[in-house]
Amino acid sequence: MIHRDLTDMRRQPRRPSYLTEPLPYNSTLIPHTAFQPPEALPHRYPDMVDTFASYKYRNTCNISSLDLHAPFAPLCTDRKSMVEAMSSGGRIGHDAPYMPRGCDMRWFSTEEICEILSRFEKVIILGDSMMRHVIGSINVLIRQDLGYGAVTDWNFSPEERQDCFCNYQFNVKACSVQGIFKTADVVKNDPESLACPADTIDVIIEMMIRFPIPSDELDRLRALLPTKKPDRPYAFIFGHGLWNDLDLQATLDWLDTLLDVSKQHAPWLASSSSSKTSTSSAIVKGTAGRAAAAAAKRERKHELGFWPRLFLTPNAAGKEKPDEWIVSQGNKALMVFEEAVGIEVGRRGVEHLGTWNMSIQSNKFDGVHVDLKGNLIKAMMVMNWLNMIEVEKF
């Protein structure tokens, strides 16, 4: 377990200085190279070593963090460029290490991941089985366990320990019910496996795939949200699409419902400023003006005070994808859906992380879901987004 001063972790959340202060850096460019080496700065050291070296079952599962991400310079300097780079990157060969496009992401050490999560009162993940695999991979990272980090191994039978090991933790048929849905369960049942101080992080998923969303699922969301502003911010991560055959409108209706319910139950999430409303109302008159006002109202519907929100679209399909789903959920449909979702959620103040480029040359466990390595990359992408959130403004 990583031991840190709990008082230090509970103070007003702040990002590390390399994100908030200019860094002196004399770049020595190597001519005629496609990628420059990472900056020789302390915070980039974990990017250049195998951060899994001390993880449980590292050699048995045979995964190094260097197999997953190839570091280069420059590092992305703001959240917008980071999300765009991660969404549009790729690999040089099948299952090669992933590289963002234009600027690099971090590959954090476990201690850094604990510190990032401690900046938030709660990180809420809402969505489908792909999002369950994201929280599973976060649990792998904070439990430092490649073999069983994503699953409830503390109550496993001998058969489950064999069936849900390493890559098979993400077997949606055999091991989905054994997934860890909240870090509180780890604290309760296997606290020694958690690398982070137990009362400093809170990550949870609510599985929500249908629309209309059942009332009991919405009640569970409300139960996660305080009506008064907490000491630290909440972050929301959404993922949806395959369960409704990539129907864009159904996904947007699903998202709008979750945003509306969250804002109604926790009004501190939304902006209290009326300046934009009064300005837009003053300049629109007549029929055309009323139409413009209605459009502006939709744009303002989910204005945020401090409301970090990220939407992950589904990863690419693999060759094992059943033929009956190729038209409605194949790679062309996935690419069109990812582009459209990025546009529409942006209008709602939600950031978008595409995963198609990252996953098209990766192994797919069942033609639909990426394997342990692909899910660890997704989790690290989410950690990079969380790391760039300006928590000091909360």
Side-chain angles (χ1 to χ4, degrees):
M1 178 180 291
I2 297 170
H3 296 282
R4 298 191 61 197
D5 185 342
L6 298 187
T7 302
D8 181 65
M9 296 189 78
R10 292 193 190 102
R11 72 184 190 279
Q12 181 68 24
R14 295 189 64 83
R15 294 176 296 160
S17 59
Y18 74 84
L19 290 175
T20 59
E21 301 172 6
L23 287 172
Y25 171 52
N26 293 323
S27 176
T28 302
L29 297 178
I30 301 175
H32 312 301
T33 60
F35 300 97
Q36 298 296 324
E39 297 88 343
L41 295 169
H43 62 273
R44 297 232 61 186
Y45 175 74
D47 304 345
M48 297 179 276
V49 299
D50 178 14
T51 58
F52 299 160
S54 61
Y55 278 29
K56 292 180 181 178
Y57 306 106
R58 158 63 180 84
N59 293 332
T60 308
C61 298
N62 193 29
I63 299 177
S64 164
S65 65
L66 297 174
D67 297 335
L68 309 185
H69 168 245
F72 65 95
L75 186 68
C76 297
T77 57
D78 61 83
R79 198 164 75 245
K80 184 176 186 294
S81 63
M82 177 71 78
V83 172
E84 289 177 352
M86 293 189 300
S87 298
S88 55
R91 305 167 189 260
I92 306 174
H94 181 78
D95 212 33
Y98 174 72
M99 304 178 74
R101 182 179 180 180
C103 59
D104 199 12
M105 60 188 271
R106 287 289 321 282
W107 193 274
F108 299 109
S109 67
T110 300
E111 184 173 9
E112 288 176 306
I113 291 169
C114 291
E115 189 280 322
I116 292 167
L117 293 174
S118 75
R119 300 176 204 166
F120 299 89
E121 196 77 25
K122 195 184 294 288
V123 176
I124 299 175
I125 300 173
L126 302 168
D128 54 19
S129 57
M130 288 188 177
M131 303 309 295
R132 185 178 68 239
H133 292 173
V134 170
I135 192 174
S137 296
I138 292 175
N139 283 310
V140 167
L141 296 169
I142 62 178
R143 298 180 75 199
Q144 298 181 307
D145 186 345
L146 292 169
Y148 297 109
V151 288
T152 59
D153 59 313
W154 53 80
N155 61 12
F156 269 12
S157 67
E159 291 79 13
E160 288 172 321
R161 293 192 69 83
Q162 179 177 345
D163 293 342
C164 302
F165 182 59
C166 286
N167 204 35
Y168 291 91
Q169 296 173 86
F170 297 111
N171 186 327
V172 294
K173 294 182 179 179
C175 302
S176 60
V177 296
Q178 290 89 343
I180 297 172
F181 284 51
K182 52 186 176 181
T183 51
D185 286 343
V186 183
V187 173
K188 177 181 178 181
N189 295 287
D190 193 11
E192 291 303 312
S193 73
L194 190 64
C196 312
D199 62 347
T200 62
I201 67 168
D202 190 355
V203 185
I204 187 170
I205 185 171
E206 287 292 346
M207 298 289 294
M208 297 183 178
I209 57 178
R210 292 173 288 173
F211 184 81
I213 303 173
S215 59
D216 63 314
E217 294 182 3
L218 294 176
D219 287 340
R220 293 202 302 270
L221 172 60
R222 293 184 183 97
L224 297 177
L225 301 173
T227 55
K228 295 183 179 180
K229 185 178 179 180
D231 294 332
R232 293 174 294 172
Y234 276 50
F236 293 72
I237 304 163
F238 306 93
H240 193 258
L242 290 180
W243 273 86
N244 60 337
D245 277 347
L246 305 179
D247 182 329
L248 176 63
Q249 191 57 54
T251 289
L252 295 176
D253 291 341
W254 174 88
L255 177 63
D256 284 339
T257 299
L258 296 177
L259 295 177
D260 285 340
V261 168
S262 299
K263 186 173 64 174
Q264 290 164 6
H265 188 77
W268 52 270
L269 289 169
S271 173
S272 60
S273 171
S274 60
S275 59
K276 291 185 179 179
T277 303
S278 59
T279 301
S280 59
S281 299
I283 61 174
V284 292
K285 294 182 179 180
T287 303
R290 286 192 295 271
K297 183 178 180 181
R298 288 193 297 271
E299 295 283 335
R300 293 193 307 271
K301 185 178 181 181
H302 302 295
E303 280 180 11
L304 60 146
F306 193 96
W307 194 359
R309 295 164 292 173
L310 182 69
F311 194 107
L312 270 67
T313 36
N315 54 249
K319 61 182 182 294
E320 295 87 0
K321 186 91 170 182
D323 290 346
E324 61 264 32
W325 302 111
I326 293 298
V327 174
S328 62
Q329 297 183 10
N331 281 316
K332 178 180 178 180
L334 286 163
M335 293 168 72
V336 171
F337 181 77
E338 178 169 291
E339 182 177 352
V341 167
I343 295 170
E344 291 297 332
V345 302
R347 292 172 175 165
R348 291 158 170 78
V350 179
E351 295 171 84
H352 169 244
L353 176 62
T355 64
W356 192 92
N357 280 311
M358 178 279 291
S359 56
I360 186 61
Q361 286 187 293
S362 69
N363 288 323
K364 314 299 186 302
F365 187 84
D366 52 10
V368 178
H369 303 85
V370 291
D371 63 3
L372 174 58
K373 293 192 290 186
N375 280 305
L376 286 167
I377 297 172
K378 282 189 185 181
M380 197 59 71
M381 287 174 157
V382 169
M383 295 309 305
N384 273 269
W385 175 75
L386 290 169
N387 183 50
M388 302 293 279
I389 292 172
E390 298 171 326
V391 291
E392 60 271 14
K393 294 182 178 179
F394 181 67

PDB file of all heavy atoms in Angstrom, residues 248-280:
ATOM      1  N   LEU A 248     -28.271   7.258 -32.593  1.00  0.00           N
ATOM      2  CA  LEU A 248     -27.775   8.512 -32.042  1.00  0.00           C
ATOM      3  C   LEU A 248     -28.804   9.189 -31.160  1.00  0.00           C
ATOM      4  O   LEU A 248     -28.489   9.645 -30.047  1.00  0.00           O
ATOM      5  CB  LEU A 248     -27.353   9.446 -33.175  1.00  0.00           C
ATOM      6  CG  LEU A 248     -26.891  10.842 -32.757  1.00  0.00           C
ATOM      7  CD1 LEU A 248     -25.644  10.770 -31.886  1.00  0.00           C
ATOM      8  CD2 LEU A 248     -26.650  11.719 -33.983  1.00  0.00           C
ATOM      9  N   GLN A 249     -30.049   9.293 -31.617  1.00  0.00           N
ATOM     10  CA  GLN A 249     -31.057  10.012 -30.845  1.00  0.00           C
ATOM     11  C   GLN A 249     -31.343   9.319 -29.521  1.00  0.00           C
ATOM     12  O   GLN A 249     -31.522   9.980 -28.486  1.00  0.00           O
ATOM     13  CB  GLN A 249     -32.350  10.156 -31.646  1.00  0.00           C
ATOM     14  CG  GLN A 249     -33.351  11.108 -31.012  1.00  0.00           C
ATOM     15  CD  GLN A 249     -32.759  12.499 -30.802  1.00  0.00           C
ATOM     16  OE1 GLN A 249     -32.252  13.116 -31.739  1.00  0.00           O
ATOM     17  NE2 GLN A 249     -32.808  12.995 -29.571  1.00  0.00           N
ATOM     18  N   ALA A 250     -31.376   7.987 -29.526  1.00  0.00           N
ATOM     19  CA  ALA A 250     -31.609   7.262 -28.272  1.00  0.00           C
ATOM     20  C   ALA A 250     -30.483   7.517 -27.278  1.00  0.00           C
ATOM     21  O   ALA A 250     -30.720   7.689 -26.082  1.00  0.00           O
ATOM     22  CB  ALA A 250     -31.748   5.773 -28.553  1.00  0.00           C
ATOM     23  N   THR A 251     -29.247   7.565 -27.776  1.00  0.00           N
ATOM     24  CA  THR A 251     -28.110   7.839 -26.893  1.00  0.00           C
ATOM     25  C   THR A 251     -28.184   9.255 -26.341  1.00  0.00           C
ATOM     26  O   THR A 251     -27.921   9.494 -25.149  1.00  0.00           O
ATOM     27  CB  THR A 251     -26.790   7.625 -27.649  1.00  0.00           C
ATOM     28  OG1 THR A 251     -26.607   6.222 -27.880  1.00  0.00           O
ATOM     29  CG2 THR A 251     -25.596   8.159 -26.860  1.00  0.00           C
ATOM     30  N   LEU A 252     -28.549  10.222 -27.177  1.00  0.00           N
ATOM     31  CA  LEU A 252     -28.662  11.600 -26.707  1.00  0.00           C
ATOM     32  C   LEU A 252     -29.801  11.752 -25.709  1.00  0.00           C
ATOM     33  O   LEU A 252     -29.673  12.480 -24.717  1.00  0.00           O
ATOM     34  CB  LEU A 252     -28.850  12.542 -27.897  1.00  0.00           C
ATOM     35  CG  LEU A 252     -27.669  12.621 -28.872  1.00  0.00           C
ATOM     36  CD1 LEU A 252     -28.016  13.516 -30.053  1.00  0.00           C
ATOM     37  CD2 LEU A 252     -26.409  13.117 -28.176  1.00  0.00           C
ATOM     38  N   ASP A 253     -30.917  11.063 -25.946  1.00  0.00           N
ATOM     39  CA  ASP A 253     -32.020  11.102 -24.984  1.00  0.00           C
ATOM     40  C   ASP A 253     -31.590  10.501 -23.646  1.00  0.00           C
ATOM     41  O   ASP A 253     -31.949  11.005 -22.573  1.00  0.00           O
ATOM     42  CB  ASP A 253     -33.236  10.354 -25.533  1.00  0.00           C
ATOM     43  CG  ASP A 253     -33.890  11.070 -26.709  1.00  0.00           C
ATOM     44  OD1 ASP A 253     -33.644  12.277 -26.880  1.00  0.00           O
ATOM     45  OD2 ASP A 253     -34.634  10.422 -27.468  1.00  0.00           O
ATOM     46  N   TRP A 254     -30.834   9.417 -23.708  1.00  0.00           N
ATOM     47  CA  TRP A 254     -30.291   8.767 -22.507  1.00  0.00           C
ATOM     48  C   TRP A 254     -29.399   9.747 -21.750  1.00  0.00           C
ATOM     49  O   TRP A 254     -29.546   9.944 -20.545  1.00  0.00           O
ATOM     50  CB  TRP A 254     -29.517   7.528 -22.953  1.00  0.00           C
ATOM     51  CG  TRP A 254     -28.764   6.777 -21.902  1.00  0.00           C
ATOM     52  CD1 TRP A 254     -29.236   5.774 -21.110  1.00  0.00           C
ATOM     53  CD2 TRP A 254     -27.372   6.940 -21.554  1.00  0.00           C
ATOM     54  NE1 TRP A 254     -28.243   5.307 -20.289  1.00  0.00           N
ATOM     55  CE2 TRP A 254     -27.083   5.999 -20.541  1.00  0.00           C
ATOM     56  CE3 TRP A 254     -26.360   7.772 -22.004  1.00  0.00           C
ATOM     57  CZ2 TRP A 254     -25.817   5.875 -19.966  1.00  0.00           C
ATOM     58  CZ3 TRP A 254     -25.093   7.664 -21.439  1.00  0.00           C
ATOM     59  CH2 TRP A 254     -24.830   6.730 -20.434  1.00  0.00           C
ATOM     60  N   LEU A 255     -28.496  10.399 -22.469  1.00  0.00           N
ATOM     61  CA  LEU A 255     -27.578  11.348 -21.841  1.00  0.00           C
ATOM     62  C   LEU A 255     -28.331  12.545 -21.269  1.00  0.00           C
ATOM     63  O   LEU A 255     -28.069  12.971 -20.131  1.00  0.00           O
ATOM     64  CB  LEU A 255     -26.540  11.812 -22.856  1.00  0.00           C
ATOM     65  CG  LEU A 255     -25.543  12.875 -22.369  1.00  0.00           C
ATOM     66  CD1 LEU A 255     -24.690  12.339 -21.222  1.00  0.00           C
ATOM     67  CD2 LEU A 255     -24.665  13.351 -23.526  1.00  0.00           C
ATOM     68  N   ASP A 256     -29.276  13.096 -22.034  1.00  0.00           N
ATOM     69  CA  ASP A 256     -30.026  14.262 -21.559  1.00  0.00           C
ATOM     70  C   ASP A 256     -30.784  13.947 -20.276  1.00  0.00           C
ATOM     71  O   ASP A 256     -30.880  14.785 -19.370  1.00  0.00           O
ATOM     72  CB  ASP A 256     -31.002  14.733 -22.636  1.00  0.00           C
ATOM     73  CG  ASP A 256     -30.315  15.493 -23.760  1.00  0.00           C
ATOM     74  OD1 ASP A 256     -29.199  16.002 -23.539  1.00  0.00           O
ATOM     75  OD2 ASP A 256     -30.885  15.569 -24.862  1.00  0.00           O
ATOM     76  N   THR A 257     -31.339  12.734 -20.190  1.00  0.00           N
ATOM     77  CA  THR A 257     -32.049  12.344 -18.977  1.00  0.00           C
ATOM     78  C   THR A 257     -31.108  12.344 -17.778  1.00  0.00           C
ATOM     79  O   THR A 257     -31.440  12.869 -16.705  1.00  0.00           O
ATOM     80  CB  THR A 257     -32.674  10.955 -19.146  1.00  0.00           C
ATOM     81  OG1 THR A 257     -33.611  10.981 -20.235  1.00  0.00           O
ATOM     82  CG2 THR A 257     -33.401  10.528 -17.879  1.00  0.00           C
ATOM     83  N   LEU A 258     -29.920  11.777 -17.944  1.00  0.00           N
ATOM     84  CA  LEU A 258     -28.965  11.714 -16.843  1.00  0.00           C
ATOM     85  C   LEU A 258     -28.479  13.107 -16.444  1.00  0.00           C
ATOM     86  O   LEU A 258     -28.326  13.405 -15.249  1.00  0.00           O
ATOM     87  CB  LEU A 258     -27.775  10.835 -17.238  1.00  0.00           C
ATOM     88  CG  LEU A 258     -28.101   9.358 -17.496  1.00  0.00           C
ATOM     89  CD1 LEU A 258     -26.855   8.612 -17.953  1.00  0.00           C
ATOM     90  CD2 LEU A 258     -28.669   8.706 -16.237  1.00  0.00           C
ATOM     91  N   LEU A 259     -28.257  13.966 -17.428  1.00  0.00           N
ATOM     92  CA  LEU A 259     -27.837  15.333 -17.115  1.00  0.00           C
ATOM     93  C   LEU A 259     -28.935  16.098 -16.388  1.00  0.00           C
ATOM     94  O   LEU A 259     -28.675  16.818 -15.417  1.00  0.00           O
ATOM     95  CB  LEU A 259     -27.442  16.059 -18.408  1.00  0.00           C
ATOM     96  CG  LEU A 259     -26.220  15.521 -19.161  1.00  0.00           C
ATOM     97  CD1 LEU A 259     -26.017  16.300 -20.459  1.00  0.00           C
ATOM     98  CD2 LEU A 259     -24.964  15.564 -18.312  1.00  0.00           C
ATOM     99  N   ASP A 260     -30.171  15.950 -16.857  1.00  0.00           N
ATOM    100  CA  ASP A 260     -31.287  16.655 -16.229  1.00  0.00           C
ATOM    101  C   ASP A 260     -31.500  16.197 -14.792  1.00  0.00           C
ATOM    102  O   ASP A 260     -31.688  17.010 -13.876  1.00  0.00           O
ATOM    103  CB  ASP A 260     -32.567  16.447 -17.036  1.00  0.00           C
ATOM    104  CG  ASP A 260     -32.596  17.263 -18.319  1.00  0.00           C
ATOM    105  OD1 ASP A 260     -31.848  18.251 -18.400  1.00  0.00           O
ATOM    106  OD2 ASP A 260     -33.343  16.896 -19.239  1.00  0.00           O
ATOM    107  N   VAL A 261     -31.492  14.876 -14.590  1.00  0.00           N
ATOM    108  CA  VAL A 261     -31.697  14.341 -13.243  1.00  0.00           C
ATOM    109  C   VAL A 261     -30.587  14.800 -12.304  1.00  0.00           C
ATOM    110  O   VAL A 261     -30.842  15.189 -11.158  1.00  0.00           O
ATOM    111  CB  VAL A 261     -31.784  12.797 -13.290  1.00  0.00           C
ATOM    112  CG1 VAL A 261     -31.693  12.203 -11.884  1.00  0.00           C
ATOM    113  CG2 VAL A 261     -33.080  12.361 -13.958  1.00  0.00           C
ATOM    114  N   SER A 262     -29.353  14.776 -12.787  1.00  0.00           N
ATOM    115  CA  SER A 262     -28.220  15.204 -11.964  1.00  0.00           C
ATOM    116  C   SER A 262     -28.352  16.667 -11.571  1.00  0.00           C
ATOM    117  O   SER A 262     -28.168  17.048 -10.399  1.00  0.00           O
ATOM    118  CB  SER A 262     -26.904  14.984 -12.712  1.00  0.00           C
ATOM    119  OG  SER A 262     -26.711  13.617 -13.019  1.00  0.00           O
ATOM    120  N   LYS A 263     -28.699  17.500 -12.543  1.00  0.00           N
ATOM    121  CA  LYS A 263     -28.809  18.938 -12.286  1.00  0.00           C
ATOM    122  C   LYS A 263     -29.973  19.261 -11.360  1.00  0.00           C
ATOM    123  O   LYS A 263     -29.863  20.130 -10.479  1.00  0.00           O
ATOM    124  CB  LYS A 263     -28.963  19.684 -13.612  1.00  0.00           C
ATOM    125  CG  LYS A 263     -28.933  21.202 -13.467  1.00  0.00           C
ATOM    126  CD  LYS A 263     -28.920  21.880 -14.823  1.00  0.00           C
ATOM    127  CE  LYS A 263     -30.185  21.612 -15.595  1.00  0.00           C
ATOM    128  NZ  LYS A 263     -30.236  22.403 -16.861  1.00  0.00           N
ATOM    129  N   GLN A 264     -31.078  18.548 -11.519  1.00  0.00           N
ATOM    130  CA  GLN A 264     -32.238  18.810 -10.669  1.00  0.00           C
ATOM    131  C   GLN A 264     -31.977  18.404  -9.224  1.00  0.00           C
ATOM    132  O   GLN A 264     -32.388  19.093  -8.289  1.00  0.00           O
ATOM    133  CB  GLN A 264     -33.453  18.062 -11.220  1.00  0.00           C
ATOM    134  CG  GLN A 264     -33.971  18.624 -12.538  1.00  0.00           C
ATOM    135  CD  GLN A 264     -34.905  17.666 -13.259  1.00  0.00           C
ATOM    136  OE1 GLN A 264     -35.271  16.609 -12.724  1.00  0.00           O
ATOM    137  NE2 GLN A 264     -35.280  18.008 -14.487  1.00  0.00           N
ATOM    138  N   HIS A 265     -31.280  17.285  -9.048  1.00  0.00           N
ATOM    139  CA  HIS A 265     -31.047  16.789  -7.695  1.00  0.00           C
ATOM    140  C   HIS A 265     -29.868  17.492  -7.032  1.00  0.00           C
ATOM    141  O   HIS A 265     -29.855  17.654  -5.804  1.00  0.00           O
ATOM    142  CB  HIS A 265     -30.791  15.281  -7.717  1.00  0.00           C
ATOM    143  CG  HIS A 265     -30.728  14.674  -6.357  1.00  0.00           C
ATOM    144  ND1 HIS A 265     -31.857  14.416  -5.603  1.00  0.00           N
ATOM    145  CD2 HIS A 265     -29.661  14.283  -5.600  1.00  0.00           C
ATOM    146  CE1 HIS A 265     -31.494  13.896  -4.439  1.00  0.00           C
ATOM    147  NE2 HIS A 265     -30.167  13.799  -4.412  1.00  0.00           N
ATOM    148  N   ALA A 266     -28.884  17.901  -7.830  1.00  0.00           N
ATOM    149  CA  ALA A 266     -27.688  18.569  -7.301  1.00  0.00           C
ATOM    150  C   ALA A 266     -27.504  19.886  -8.041  1.00  0.00           C
ATOM    151  O   ALA A 266     -26.643  20.010  -8.915  1.00  0.00           O
ATOM    152  CB  ALA A 266     -26.468  17.669  -7.461  1.00  0.00           C
ATOM    153  N   PRO A 267     -28.300  20.904  -7.738  1.00  0.00           N
ATOM    154  CA  PRO A 267     -28.271  22.157  -8.498  1.00  0.00           C
ATOM    155  C   PRO A 267     -26.930  22.871  -8.456  1.00  0.00           C
ATOM    156  O   PRO A 267     -26.660  23.718  -9.310  1.00  0.00           O
ATOM    157  CB  PRO A 267     -29.381  23.000  -7.853  1.00  0.00           C
ATOM    158  CG  PRO A 267     -29.632  22.372  -6.514  1.00  0.00           C
ATOM    159  CD  PRO A 267     -29.330  20.928  -6.673  1.00  0.00           C
ATOM    160  N   TRP A 268     -26.063  22.530  -7.494  1.00  0.00           N
ATOM    161  CA  TRP A 268     -24.745  23.166  -7.431  1.00  0.00           C
ATOM    162  C   TRP A 268     -23.879  22.799  -8.637  1.00  0.00           C
ATOM    163  O   TRP A 268     -22.879  23.473  -8.911  1.00  0.00           O
ATOM    164  CB  TRP A 268     -24.026  22.761  -6.139  1.00  0.00           C
ATOM    165  CG  TRP A 268     -23.957  21.279  -5.914  1.00  0.00           C
ATOM    166  CD1 TRP A 268     -24.861  20.510  -5.246  1.00  0.00           C
ATOM    167  CD2 TRP A 268     -22.927  20.390  -6.359  1.00  0.00           C
ATOM    168  NE1 TRP A 268     -24.470  19.188  -5.254  1.00  0.00           N
ATOM    169  CE2 TRP A 268     -23.281  19.091  -5.931  1.00  0.00           C
ATOM    170  CE3 TRP A 268     -21.747  20.556  -7.084  1.00  0.00           C
ATOM    171  CZ2 TRP A 268     -22.496  17.976  -6.200  1.00  0.00           C
ATOM    172  CZ3 TRP A 268     -20.951  19.445  -7.354  1.00  0.00           C
ATOM    173  CH2 TRP A 268     -21.326  18.176  -6.918  1.00  0.00           C
ATOM    174  N   LEU A 269     -24.257  21.752  -9.361  1.00  0.00           N
ATOM    175  CA  LEU A 269     -23.500  21.372 -10.558  1.00  0.00           C
ATOM    176  C   LEU A 269     -23.644  22.405 -11.670  1.00  0.00           C
ATOM    177  O   LEU A 269     -22.732  22.578 -12.482  1.00  0.00           O
ATOM    178  CB  LEU A 269     -23.977  20.012 -11.078  1.00  0.00           C
ATOM    179  CG  LEU A 269     -23.617  18.776 -10.262  1.00  0.00           C
ATOM    180  CD1 LEU A 269     -24.402  17.578 -10.772  1.00  0.00           C
ATOM    181  CD2 LEU A 269     -22.117  18.501 -10.326  1.00  0.00           C
ATOM    182  N   ALA A 270     -24.816  23.040 -11.755  1.00  0.00           N
ATOM    183  CA  ALA A 270     -25.120  23.919 -12.882  1.00  0.00           C
ATOM    184  C   ALA A 270     -24.800  25.370 -12.554  1.00  0.00           C
ATOM    185  O   ALA A 270     -24.785  25.791 -11.402  1.00  0.00           O
ATOM    186  CB  ALA A 270     -26.590  23.792 -13.268  1.00  0.00           C
ATOM    187  N   SER A 271     -24.572  26.144 -13.601  1.00  0.00           N
ATOM    188  CA  SER A 271     -24.242  27.554 -13.438  1.00  0.00           C
ATOM    189  C   SER A 271     -25.455  28.327 -12.955  1.00  0.00           C
ATOM    190  O   SER A 271     -26.577  28.101 -13.394  1.00  0.00           O
ATOM    191  CB  SER A 271     -23.754  28.130 -14.764  1.00  0.00           C
ATOM    192  OG  SER A 271     -23.590  29.524 -14.675  1.00  0.00           O
ATOM    193  N   SER A 272     -25.205  29.294 -12.062  1.00  0.00           N
ATOM    194  CA  SER A 272     -26.283  30.170 -11.597  1.00  0.00           C
ATOM    195  C   SER A 272     -26.296  31.497 -12.330  1.00  0.00           C
ATOM    196  O   SER A 272     -27.130  32.350 -12.076  1.00  0.00           O
ATOM    197  CB  SER A 272     -26.129  30.429 -10.092  1.00  0.00           C
ATOM    198  OG  SER A 272     -24.881  31.057  -9.828  1.00  0.00           O
ATOM    199  N   SER A 273     -25.330  31.666 -13.251  1.00  0.00           N
ATOM    200  CA  SER A 273     -25.239  32.936 -13.974  1.00  0.00           C
ATOM    201  C   SER A 273     -26.384  33.076 -14.962  1.00  0.00           C
ATOM    202  O   SER A 273     -26.750  32.139 -15.654  1.00  0.00           O
ATOM    203  CB  SER A 273     -23.902  33.024 -14.716  1.00  0.00           C
ATOM    204  OG  SER A 273     -23.893  34.144 -15.569  1.00  0.00           O
ATOM    205  N   SER A 274     -26.973  34.276 -15.027  1.00  0.00           N
ATOM    206  CA  SER A 274     -28.060  34.525 -15.976  1.00  0.00           C
ATOM    207  C   SER A 274     -27.639  35.463 -17.088  1.00  0.00           C
ATOM    208  O   SER A 274     -28.454  35.863 -17.905  1.00  0.00           O
ATOM    209  CB  SER A 274     -29.268  35.121 -15.241  1.00  0.00           C
ATOM    210  OG  SER A 274     -28.890  36.350 -14.631  1.00  0.00           O
ATOM    211  N   SER A 275     -26.351  35.781 -17.151  1.00  0.00           N
ATOM    212  CA  SER A 275     -25.903  36.788 -18.114  1.00  0.00           C
ATOM    213  C   SER A 275     -26.106  36.329 -19.537  1.00  0.00           C
ATOM    214  O   SER A 275     -26.546  37.091 -20.390  1.00  0.00           O
ATOM    215  CB  SER A 275     -24.425  37.116 -17.872  1.00  0.00           C
ATOM    216  OG  SER A 275     -23.622  35.951 -17.988  1.00  0.00           O
ATOM    217  N   LYS A 276     -25.843  35.046 -19.794  1.00  0.00           N
ATOM    218  CA  LYS A 276     -26.002  34.578 -21.166  1.00  0.00           C
ATOM    219  C   LYS A 276     -27.463  34.572 -21.570  1.00  0.00           C
ATOM    220  O   LYS A 276     -27.808  34.876 -22.694  1.00  0.00           O
ATOM    221  CB  LYS A 276     -25.401  33.170 -21.310  1.00  0.00           C
ATOM    222  CG  LYS A 276     -23.880  33.147 -21.188  1.00  0.00           C
ATOM    223  CD  LYS A 276     -23.361  31.753 -21.463  1.00  0.00           C
ATOM    224  CE  LYS A 276     -21.847  31.690 -21.380  1.00  0.00           C
ATOM    225  NZ  LYS A 276     -21.327  30.334 -21.634  1.00  0.00           N
ATOM    226  N   THR A 277     -28.318  34.214 -20.613  1.00  0.00           N
ATOM    227  CA  THR A 277     -29.738  34.175 -20.918  1.00  0.00           C
ATOM    228  C   THR A 277     -30.258  35.562 -21.268  1.00  0.00           C
ATOM    229  O   THR A 277     -30.955  35.744 -22.265  1.00  0.00           O
ATOM    230  CB  THR A 277     -30.516  33.618 -19.704  1.00  0.00           C
ATOM    231  OG1 THR A 277     -29.992  32.325 -19.386  1.00  0.00           O
ATOM    232  CG2 THR A 277     -31.986  33.521 -20.011  1.00  0.00           C
ATOM    233  N   SER A 278     -29.907  36.557 -20.463  1.00  0.00           N
ATOM    234  CA  SER A 278     -30.424  37.898 -20.714  1.00  0.00           C
ATOM    235  C   SER A 278     -29.878  38.464 -22.010  1.00  0.00           C
ATOM    236  O   SER A 278     -30.593  39.144 -22.740  1.00  0.00           O
ATOM    237  CB  SER A 278     -30.063  38.813 -19.544  1.00  0.00           C
ATOM    238  OG  SER A 278     -28.654  38.868 -19.376  1.00  0.00           O
ATOM    239  N   THR A 279     -28.618  38.182 -22.326  1.00  0.00           N
ATOM    240  CA  THR A 279     -28.029  38.692 -23.558  1.00  0.00           C
ATOM    241  C   THR A 279     -28.721  38.111 -24.772  1.00  0.00           C
ATOM    242  O   THR A 279     -29.096  38.818 -25.705  1.00  0.00           O
ATOM    243  CB  THR A 279     -26.522  38.365 -23.611  1.00  0.00           C
ATOM    244  OG1 THR A 279     -25.907  38.960 -22.484  1.00  0.00           O
ATOM    245  CG2 THR A 279     -25.899  38.880 -24.881  1.00  0.00           C
ATOM    246  N   SER A 280     -28.909  36.773 -24.771  1.00  0.00           N
ATOM    247  CA  SER A 280     -29.508  36.154 -25.941  1.00  0.00           C
ATOM    248  C   SER A 280     -30.958  36.586 -26.105  1.00  0.00           C
ATOM    249  O   SER A 280     -31.447  36.751 -27.216  1.00  0.00           O
ATOM    250  CB  SER A 280     -29.420  34.626 -25.827  1.00  0.00           C
ATOM    251  OG  SER A 280     -30.080  34.172 -24.668  1.00  0.00           O
TER     252      SER A 280
END
